[in-house]
Amino acid sequence: MTIDDYLQEGIHGKKVLKPEERKKYLGTLRERVVVVLTRAQVREATTYPEIARLLKENYKATLLLNGAMNYSDLAKYIALASKIKAPYKIIASPEHTSELGLVLASDTAVDKDTITIDQRPKQKAEKRKRPGFVSRFINKLKKKRN
């Protein structure tokens, strides 16, 4: 390293390899990512069973959680990681803003083609078994007419 390199590092900070990629994947590189979930997926009421399975299979991988999200959304994944005894980190750096809520990352390259999990279809609200107030009122009127 030359004196100019030391000066540039002192002025601009240490050079970072692929900064945009690290920003997107919560501080890690794409080649190290096992699986990701979007913020919307992390906000869902229950955890994805695929995450538990992949945490067990990749016991050396670290679960990276987006610190810009509410802790209540992250808590279920923290509990899951604790239960499995998997390492996790909450990444709360303004440098790592991302649409991702969770990244499971290895220390070494895994180079998986598909790192996303399809979002679960939203469950439709169950139909009411009991008719609403208006329907019951109309039915009572019809019965009185007969």
Side-chain angles (χ1 to χ4, degrees), residues 125-136:
E126 290 183 31
K127 291 183 179 179
R128 286 194 214 172
K129 294 180 181 176
R130 184 175 175 196
F133 173 76
V134 176
S135 299
R136 289 190 314 235

Side-chain angles (χ1 to χ4, degrees), residues 71-114:
Y71 182 81
S72 59
D73 295 326
L74 302 177
K76 58 187 170 283
Y77 287 101
I78 292 171
L80 177 65
S82 297
K83 180 180 175 185
I84 296 173
K85 297 182 180 161
Y88 69 90
K89 291 181 186 177
I90 298 175
I91 309 298
S93 171
E95 298 166 1
H96 299 116
T97 56
S98 176
E99 74 279 352
L100 299 176
L102 176 150
V103 175
L104 181 59
S106 177
D107 291 342
T108 58
V110 291
D111 283 324
K112 289 179 69 178
D113 290 333
T114 305

Side-chain angles (χ1 to χ4, degrees), residues 118-129:
D118 292 334
Q119 192 160 5
R120 294 179 230 178
K122 292 184 179 180
Q123 295 178 352
K124 295 179 182 177
E126 290 183 31
K127 291 183 179 179
R128 286 194 214 172
K129 294 180 181 176

Side-chain angles (χ1 to χ4, degrees), residues 43-80:
R43 281 188 205 104
E44 291 179 15
T46 59
T47 61
Y48 279 74
E50 295 92 337
I51 300 298
R53 180 180 55 81
L54 289 168
L55 275 170
K56 290 175 186 173
E57 289 174 5
N58 300 280
Y59 60 91
K60 290 185 179 182
T62 303
L63 190 64
L64 305 174
L65 300 164
N66 192 333
M69 295 183 65
N70 289 333
Y71 182 81
S72 59
D73 295 326
L74 302 177
K76 58 187 170 283
Y77 287 101
I78 292 171
L80 177 65

Side-chain angles (χ1 to χ4, degrees), residues 30-50:
R30 164 64 176 87
E31 66 190 23
R32 295 179 180 179
V33 174
V34 177
V35 69
V36 298
L37 289 180
T38 64
R39 287 180 177 209
Q41 288 174 305
V42 172
R43 281 188 205 104
E44 291 179 15
T46 59
T47 61
Y48 279 74
E50 295 92 337

